[in-house]
């Protein structure tokens, strides 16, 4: 398997339940992605909560990062899946599938964050995604601006 990484900055989302802040989308018809890590580091000093959840539709993102051959760890292979990192406020939200897989609360400090490292990768089947969303509604629970990354194999 080949390993890839992609990163970007999300401006964050409001405190609405299930609002997706960003996601790694797999548009391929038959190839799965295997997510090894998700990085999330805040660039604003407000408290927020995050959850990782599967998505079954891509939604309409405010911006997209398209990984290239430079995103391969050895810079040898372009990714076959044509995976995309969707960022910014979605004008049409992705459809969430099932309950949250992971959840965390982050303190109100610039640079606070997490690197989720999965001992067994999370498979993203063809035509689905893995998103980070707001787990609850509430004034203090919006997802603020952050630098985010996904590391995956395919």
């Amino acid at each position: 398997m080949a390993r890839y990484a992609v990163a970007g900055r999300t401006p964050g989302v409001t405190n609405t339940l299930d609002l997706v802040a960003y996601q790694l989308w797999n548009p391929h018809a038959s190839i799965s992605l295997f997510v090894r890590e998700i990085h999330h580091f805040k660039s604003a000093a407000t408290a927020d909560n995050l959850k990782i959840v599967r998505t079954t539709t891509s939604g309409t993102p405010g911006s997209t990062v398209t990984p290239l051959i430079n995103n391969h760890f050895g810079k040898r292979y372009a990714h076959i899946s044509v995976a995309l990192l969707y960022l910014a406020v979605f004008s049409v939200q992705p459809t969430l599938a099932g309950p949250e897989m992971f959840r965390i609360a982050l303190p109100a400090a610039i640079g606070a964050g997490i690197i989720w490292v999965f001992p067994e990768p999370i498979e993203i089947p063809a035509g689905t995604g893995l998103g980070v969303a707001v787990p609850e509604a509430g004034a203090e629970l919006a997802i603020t601006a952050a630098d985010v990354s996904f590391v995956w194999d395919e």
Side-chain angles (χ1 to χ4, degrees), residues 3-137:
R3 183 156 297 169
Y4 300 88
V6 65
R9 176 167 282 182
T10 180
V13 294
T14 61
N15 58 338
T16 303
L17 175 66
D18 292 338
L19 212 58
V20 174
Y22 56 94
Q23 76 169 334
L24 184 64
W25 180 252
N26 179 7
H28 201 275
S30 61
I31 292 175
S32 288
L33 307 179
F34 298 89
V35 174
R36 295 275 182 187
E37 301 174 10
I38 300 174
H39 306 193
H40 180 104
F41 289 92
K42 296 162 43 90
S43 58
T46 54
D48 54 346
N49 286 2
L50 316 170
K51 71 177 178 181
I52 296 175
V53 66
R54 293 184 181 277
T55 59
T56 58
T57 63
S58 63
T60 306
S63 67
T64 302
V65 178
T66 303
L68 304 169
I69 195 169
N70 293 328
N71 295 88
H72 178 258
F73 274 39
K75 196 180 173 189
R76 291 191 187 116
Y77 313 105
H79 65 301
I80 297 169
S81 69
V82 194
L84 300 165
L85 176 59
Y86 289 154
L87 300 164
V89 177
F90 286 76
S91 59
V92 175
Q93 279 288 305
T95 302
L96 304 187
E100 57 207 44
M101 297 177 74
F102 299 93
R103 182 175 170 160
I104 189 168
L106 294 174
I110 293 173
I114 185 169
I115 299 176
W116 277 293
V117 179
F118 309 112
E120 293 296 322
I122 298 174
E123 183 174 0
I124 304 176
T128 67
L130 191 64
V132 175
V134 176
E136 296 176 16

